[in-house]
Amino acid sequence: MIDDLLRPASTPWAVTADVIRTAALLSVIAVLLWWGPVEFAVLFLVLGGVLVSRMVRVDPRVDAAYGATLLVAGWSAVIDLYELISWWDLAVHTLATAAIALIAYLLLLRMRYLPRPAPGRRTATGVTIITLALGLSLSVVWEFAEWAGSKYITHEINVGYEDTLSDIAAGGVGSLVAGVLLAATLSRSRQPISVNVH
């Protein structure tokens, strides 16, 4: 998988995805210099996320969209966009969790923790349920991290019962849609999203 990080980009979409990865690296440096530890932690997680998608060998178009979604989500926290636009938090939780759940499924598939999907309704249901479960699980982990950050680092992190549940619900909706789309795509082709899952 480390070789995947070093391989040269071979298509315009792959170059776009690598530009987004470079922007994530520069973002980490920028928040380290001009913002605080919370912003650094958020964008450091974004950087890790965009590196994972390259190791998964995901389709470059999906890779670019995934990276852009994570970068927008990270910078939205840094510049307080979630506070400025009332619906932005739920929209980003829906889209980001959908993207992360999809990449998490493909990562587990690539690492052979999940079997290669075979055509059929039961397999499609399984792909959907696993993607949904991954998205919900990761949403819970994120909300726990927000709570811990609010309690032990800074009270500027917005947490609360309604915010937490609505964020998890939005992540669940996004993961469910991602699971349905992933199942449909995998049933149409051997490797439509992941370039190589061996």
Side-chain angles (χ1 to χ4, degrees), residues 22-153:
T22 302
L25 175 61
L26 295 174
S27 296
V28 168
I29 294 168
V31 295
L32 181 63
L33 295 175
W34 293 294
W35 278 274
V38 172
E39 293 83 3
F40 172 78
V42 168
L43 283 165
F44 190 74
L45 287 173
V46 168
L47 178 61
V50 297
L51 292 176
V52 166
S53 64
R54 198 170 211 280
M55 293 189 307
V56 172
R57 290 186 147 203
V58 71
D59 180 288
R61 294 167 296 182
V62 174
D63 190 9
Y66 165 78
T69 301
L70 291 190
L71 200 56
V72 166
W75 273 106
S76 293
V78 172
I79 63 172
D80 292 326
L81 208 52
Y82 299 119
E83 304 296 324
L84 298 173
I85 304 172
S86 61
W87 52 267
W88 190 250
D89 186 42
L90 292 180
V92 170
H93 272 280
T94 303
L95 293 174
T97 307
I100 292 167
L102 184 144
I103 295 297
Y105 182 94
L106 293 174
L107 177 63
L108 292 175
L109 185 63
R110 172 101 197 263
M111 296 175 73
R112 297 184 181 171
Y113 289 116
L114 294 173
R116 176 184 282 279
R121 181 178 295 188
R122 292 180 70 187
T123 299
T125 302
V127 169
T128 301
I129 290 171
I130 291 169
T131 307
L132 172 61
L134 288 167
L136 286 172
S137 300
L138 292 168
S139 289
V140 169
V141 170
W142 179 259
E143 293 302 317
F144 179 78
E146 279 190 352
W147 169 82
S150 176
K151 184 162 180 70
Y152 298 111
I153 298 173

Side-chain angles (χ1 to χ4, degrees), residues 1-7 54-55 110:
M1 286 184 146
I2 298 299
D3 292 341
D4 295 319
L5 287 174
L6 304 176
R7 77 179 187 279
R54 198 170 211 280
M55 293 189 307
R110 172 101 197 263

